[in-house]
Amino acid sequence: GAVVSQHPSWVICKSGTSVKIECRSLDFQATTMFWYRQFPKQSLMLMATSNEGSKATYEQGVEKDKFLINHASLTLSTLTVTSAHPEDSSFYICSAISSGGTDTQYFGPGTRLTVL
Amino acid sequence: SQKIEQNSEALNIQEGKTATLTCNYTNYSPAYLQWYRQDPGRGPVFLLLIRENEKEKRKERLKVTFDTTLKQSLFHITASQPADSATYLCAGDTGRRALTFGSGTRLQVQP
């Protein structure tokens, strides 16, 4: 149980284009999902908290107009990187907490974004 | 600011020995800590969660402790195997259900 999937697993795009990443909780409902970013040889950094049916909460320094988050249902959150630039190249990982009350965060397998 | 520190970047041990990884927290008191395993190019895999009122937790060959006096958690893998080689991440809650992560310790178990 407690499986989180991400799609795509990797994407290469040209500078200036937008990329959408999906995060799904497969066998549980998640009222809260999180988006993290991990640069090479660094740890995970929280970008934003996504709550179903409401606006996402962004961490300081993360541009909300650049990283659009939508949490349309209890099993799906999407992150859209708009007008991507090479410095946005990173490993994007989502996580989810079950709405059943546990504090355990389950992570997706990650999406490798490369912007040329 | 809330900080989680894993001071050992890498740890090499022989197969069969016990690996002990350290996690320290500063400038706050997390209500719980979570330990994850991360393999290269993959997302973290949940291992154990321990709350501040729990001294110790076990799961198979894994054991984690939480010492609020030392502000430290220790993560042990007993009877280590080469398949245990990975990066292990310690993370503390931020009070908003998100996690703040340490930089990780890369464990290498030699056969």
Side-chain angles (χ1 to χ4, degrees):
Chain A
V3 178
V4 177
S5 71
Q6 276 184 247
H7 178 80
S9 55
W10 59 271
V11 57
I12 301 173
C13 69
K14 290 183 178 178
S15 189
T17 60
S18 294
V19 173
K20 181 189 275 190
I21 302 170
E22 289 187 352
C23 175
R24 293 181 186 272
S25 56
L26 296 186
D27 50 0
F28 64 100
Q29 293 186 329
T31 48
T32 305
M33 289 183 168
F34 303 92
W35 287 96
Y36 294 81
R37 182 165 53 181
Q38 186 176 34
F39 291 106
K41 297 196 186 297
Q42 294 186 26
S43 196
L44 283 76
M45 296 295 292
L46 178 68
M47 297 176 65
T49 301
S50 168
N51 292 299
E52 187 264 339
S54 63
K55 288 185 180 180
T57 304
Y58 291 82
E59 294 301 296
Q60 197 169 14
V62 178
E63 300 173 56
K64 62 180 182 185
D65 294 330
K66 181 168 185 62
F67 299 99
L68 302 179
I69 291 171
N70 186 289
H71 194 151
S73 77
L74 287 173
T75 59
L76 173 64
S77 176
T78 61
L79 168 69
T80 302
V81 184
T82 62
S83 187
H85 291 284
E87 58 266 29
D88 298 322
S89 298
S90 189
F91 192 48
Y92 291 86
I93 313 173
C94 72
S95 69
I97 293 180
S98 169
S99 55
T102 175
D103 290 314
T104 301
Q105 269 189 50
Y106 297 97
F107 284 80
T111 297
R112 172 74 57 195
L113 170 63
T114 303
V115 185
L116 302 176
Chain B
S1 61
Q2 300 172 345
K3 222 178 218 187
I4 297 286
E5 293 174 312
Q6 294 180 257
N7 294 327
S8 295
E9 190 176 318
L11 178 66
N12 292 304
I13 62 168
Q14 285 295 122
E15 182 176 7
K17 301 289 186 186
T18 296
T20 299
L21 285 64
T22 304
C23 172
N24 295 288
Y25 55 91
T26 54
N27 298 329
Y28 85 122
S29 297
Y32 54 83
L33 294 166
Q34 301 194 35
W35 283 87
Y36 292 84
R37 169 184 174 139
Q38 187 176 29
D39 290 287
R42 306 291 296 169
V45 174
F46 172 74
L47 297 174
L48 283 166
L49 181 153
I50 185 166
R51 299 187 184 279
E52 61 178 343
N53 62 350
E54 297 174 316
K55 289 276 192 315
E56 179 181 299
K57 214 162 197 183
R58 292 174 185 260
K59 178 182 169 184
E60 297 172 354
R61 293 185 296 113
L62 308 179
K63 184 178 88 171
V64 64
T65 63
F66 198 149
D67 189 325
T68 54
T69 303
L70 293 177
K71 296 191 175 227
Q72 183 179 85
S73 174
L74 297 179
F75 177 81
H76 307 272
I77 305 175
T78 57
S80 60
Q81 304 164 0
D84 295 326
S85 299
T87 295
Y88 291 85
L89 302 171
C90 173
D93 82 294
T94 60
R96 296 173 288 129
R97 305 197 83 194
L99 294 173
T100 185
F101 278 84
S103 53
T105 296
R106 192 173 63 254
L107 174 67
Q108 187 70 38
V109 181
Q110 307 286 353

